[in-house]
Amino acid sequence: MSAIERSAGASSAKRGEFKAIDWQKVRREVSRLQIRIAKAVREGRHGKVKALQWLLTRSFSGKALAVKRVVSNRGRKTPGVDGVIWTTQKQKRQAVHNLRRRGYQALPLRRIYIPKRNGKMRPLGIPTMHDRATQALYALALQPVAETLADPNSYGSRLYRSCADAIQQCFNSLVRRYSPRWILEGDIKACFNDISHDWLLKHIPMDRFMLRKWLKAGYFEGGTLYPTEAGTPQGGIISPLLANLTLDGLEAAVKAVTPRRTKVNVIRYADDFVITGNSKELLEETIRPAVEEFLRERGLTLSPEKTRITRIEDGFDFLGQNPRKYKGKLLIKPSRDNIKTFLVKVRKTIRKFTAMKTGDMIRTLNPMIRGWGNYHRHIVASDAFKKVDDQIYLSLWDWAKSRHQDKGKHWLARKYWHSGPKAWVFAAVEKTPEGKRRVELIRAAHIHIKRHVKVKSEANPFDPKDDKYFARRRANQRRSYIGRTATKAA
């Protein structure tokens, strides 16, 4: 371990500068240990896995990288129940030093609620900064195990996998004329809240002492401490890993009860999944009971209102998109609910800027439109993009009329809609020290549609034989991003 500390920037920490750590060496050392852990998992050497995890969680490199993750992510300014956040170099350096197993005691979570699409509220448990860093440290040791044992077609909360991969797998499974016609849409009820602690402590391959501390920490709400008897909190850094490890094996459980040549495919993203089959009877009488039994062992159940069996000709919603066959041809489009939710968000944002600067409104809307469009840019979305642009135009016109109630339509058009290379351009002209500058609102219809290339199901980022494959994918994604940026600049 001392050798690891010397090679991973321990001297920089001793000088008192967190930012002076050689992060390239730190990442290289952590990656080396993770690769060894994944290799030991593939070889079935469980003792070796445990020893390497012990080594990683006690290394300076692992501790430094865990603290860096916590102080760099979006939640870095959100404190836990102790009200502490790490902002100074001294606090970050001390945080690395304080990450120890001996004497560790997890503090209760701070409970908050965020709205869900159906109007209900989703509970989030916010750990303290110290507990977050500790979870991030042990997640580094658990991630290579999770990636090596993961189901081939699981895409949520995994490295180099995304919603686009899950949707493309749906396309691959359903596109052919002889592809299965029936789909079981599955949704697990309160997955993060109901996972059995006993199952987790028995089956998750990590330090059970630390895992028990997190699971039994409890949470504060309204000044009262409540115990946690089940579940792993949404808001914890290690929670997505634990949920994935809990649900891994679902694909094998389904395949085990189905006869050969039944065209069964399992596609899962976090706790949402779809299963294809030749017939409704197969899904209803064989596969659904097997899924329910698999979940029951883990303390989980299917959501009755969200779990249904449908025909591909009727279509189904999955991850905000709608795969459906039209006269035998499979098309995947943005779902109606997804479009509606996005437009509601845009309209609320526009209404907030009635008395504010137009340029600020455009700078707020552009990332929203670009993010939504880029999410759907790999499917048949051109018509949806045009519809969204039309609705945004109407919302902006209403906004302009309410902002200038004594002006006519020609005046409003001249002020806010400027000539551009492609149709109308909603823009604001701002004065700067260098002169006048025009800030333009982007249009979803200008986002280029391009088919996504799905990641190989068996590829493992912790297996050296797949290094070149992932390097090529990263290079292709960078080129695609640069191309989109050049188009926007033009």
Side-chain angles (χ1 to χ4, degrees):
M1 186 169 66
S2 59
I4 292 174
E5 293 183 354
R6 288 195 298 272
S7 68
S11 58
S12 297
K14 289 176 182 178
R15 289 196 299 268
E17 289 292 336
F18 182 78
K19 63 183 178 182
I21 294 173
D22 189 337
W23 293 108
Q24 186 175 4
K25 286 185 178 181
V26 164
R27 291 188 178 93
R28 187 164 56 242
E29 184 60 34
V30 170
S31 177
R32 184 181 70 83
L33 287 171
Q34 289 177 320
I35 289 171
R36 292 178 65 192
I37 291 171
K39 180 182 178 183
V41 173
R42 291 193 299 273
E43 294 173 351
R45 302 173 64 188
H46 304 299
K48 184 72 171 179
V49 171
K50 187 175 180 180
L52 290 169
Q53 287 180 322
W54 187 95
L55 188 62
L56 176 53
T57 54
R58 284 152 183 81
S59 69
F60 171 80
S61 298
K63 293 176 182 180
L65 202 57
V67 172
K68 184 174 179 61
R69 176 178 177 180
V70 170
V71 299
S72 302
N73 63 19
R74 289 188 298 176
R76 63 186 179 275
K77 296 181 181 179
T78 305
V81 293
D82 58 357
V84 173
I85 58 173
W86 299 331
T87 56
T88 67
Q89 294 293 310
K90 182 178 179 180
Q91 288 173 322
K92 296 171 187 178
R93 183 191 70 242
Q94 189 62 38
V96 176
H97 178 72
N98 289 341
L99 290 185
R100 300 192 190 95
R101 182 182 187 274
R102 178 178 294 180
Y104 175 75
Q105 181 61 51
L107 291 178
L109 307 168
R110 182 166 68 89
R111 175 64 65 91
I112 63 172
Y113 292 88
I114 59 173
K116 298 170 65 174
R117 287 184 302 173
N118 58 9
K120 298 180 180 179
M121 302 299 287
R122 184 192 306 278
L124 288 184
I126 309 298
T128 64
M129 296 287 282
H130 180 72
D131 290 336
R132 270 178 264 173
T134 307
Q135 289 187 20
L137 174 60
Y138 281 82
L140 289 173
L142 186 59
Q143 195 164 44
V145 181
E147 286 290 337
T148 305
L149 299 178
D151 285 351
N153 291 300
S154 163
Y155 300 98
S157 303
R158 293 186 60 193
L159 293 175
Y160 307 116
R161 284 163 169 81
S162 65
C163 293
D165 292 305
I167 293 296
Q168 187 59 33
Q169 179 61 23
C170 285
F171 181 85
N172 296 342
S173 302
L174 299 167
V175 66
R176 297 174 180 81
R177 178 179 55 81
Y178 52 83
S179 295
R181 294 179 54 201
W182 290 91
I183 296 94
L184 169 65
E185 305 171 60
D187 184 271
I188 301 170
K189 184 178 180 180
C191 178
F192 281 85
N193 296 334
D194 292 343
I195 300 176
S196 166
H197 284 181
D198 290 340
W199 192 94
L200 288 170
L201 291 167
K202 185 176 180 181
H203 293 91
I204 299 299
M206 66 167 290
D207 189 328
R208 288 178 176 81
F209 170 82
M210 300 299 290
L211 180 58
R212 185 183 297 276
K213 293 288 186 182
W214 300 325
L215 296 179
K216 303 298 184 181
Y219 64 92
F220 265 113
E221 185 176 8
T224 303
L225 176 62
Y226 296 91
T228 45
E229 303 298 337
T232 176
Q234 286 182 274
I237 285 180
I238 205 168
S239 294
L241 268 178
L242 298 179
N244 261 345
L245 283 164
T246 301
L247 297 176
D248 283 332
L250 175 63
E251 196 167 340
V254 169
K255 295 289 181 69
V257 299
T258 55
R260 294 180 61 188
R261 300 179 182 177
T262 49
K263 302 176 184 177
V264 171
N265 301 282
V266 181
I267 304 150
R268 180 171 65 83
Y269 189 92
D271 58 341
D272 293 328
F273 62 89
V274 294
I275 303 176
T276 67
N278 273 345
S279 66
K280 183 178 182 179
E281 292 73 24
L282 174 68
L283 294 173
E284 205 166 49
E285 299 172 7
T286 304
I287 291 179
R288 180 163 181 165
V291 171
E292 290 173 341
E293 176 60 28
F294 175 86
L295 296 176
R296 193 178 300 115
E297 294 176 3
R298 293 153 174 79
L300 301 172
T301 58
L302 289 175
S303 171
E305 61 271 14
K306 294 183 181 179
T307 301
R308 59 182 69 90
I309 297 174
T310 56
R311 295 189 313 159
I312 189 59
E313 289 80 9
D314 298 326
F316 63 97
D317 288 352
F318 185 51
L319 303 179
Q321 299 178 351
N322 182 265
R324 181 179 177 183
K325 277 193 174 179
Y326 300 82
K327 297 181 179 179
K329 183 176 182 179
L330 180 69
L331 299 179
I332 303 179
K333 304 178 181 181
S335 70
R336 291 181 180 178
D337 286 345
N338 184 270
I339 295 173
K340 180 180 178 181
T341 301
F342 174 67
L343 288 175
V344 167
K345 182 180 178 182
V346 169
R347 291 179 186 123
K348 287 182 178 178
T349 302
I350 291 173
R351 284 196 291 269
K352 291 178 182 178
F353 283 87
T354 302
M356 300 183 189
K357 291 183 179 180
T358 307
D360 292 341
M361 179 180 71
I362 293 174
R363 280 186 283 270
T364 302
L365 289 174
N366 276 348
M368 294 168 55
I369 298 170
R370 188 179 296 116
W372 182 83
N374 284 337
Y375 179 80
H376 293 292
R377 68 188 291 261
H378 303 297
I379 59 173
V380 184
S382 295
D383 289 343
F385 287 173
K386 292 174 184 176
K387 177 182 177 181
V388 163
D389 284 337
D390 290 343
Q391 293 299 313
I392 292 176
Y393 167 84
L394 294 175
S395 296
L396 290 172
W397 185 253
D398 291 339
W399 169 86
K401 287 193 298 183
S402 66
R403 188 178 174 96
H404 306 281
Q405 298 180 11
D406 58 339
K407 301 294 184 180
K409 60 182 181 180
H410 296 293
W411 186 92
L412 295 175
R414 285 194 304 270
K415 180 170 179 61
Y416 293 111
W417 279 270
H418 302 260
S419 60
K422 296 180 180 179
W424 58 268
V425 178
F426 182 86
V429 178
E430 298 180 332
K431 292 182 180 179
T432 66
E434 294 78 21
K436 291 184 178 180
R437 177 183 62 183
R438 193 165 81 170
V439 184
E440 297 183 356
L441 183 73
I442 67 169
R443 299 187 67 189
H446 294 168
I447 295 174
H448 180 61
I449 303 291
K450 183 180 179 181
R451 177 73 67 186
H452 177 73
V453 179
K454 190 185 81 70
V455 67
K456 291 180 181 178
S457 297
E458 68 279 4
N460 186 342
F462 298 107
D463 192 338
K465 71 179 179 59
D466 292 321
D467 284 349
K468 291 183 179 179
Y469 170 74
F470 283 111
R472 286 196 302 270
R473 283 187 67 86
R474 289 194 296 271
N476 290 336
Q477 289 170 353
R478 282 195 296 270
R479 282 195 292 269
S480 176
Y481 177 78
I482 292 170
R484 296 203 304 274
T485 304
T487 300
K488 288 183 289 184

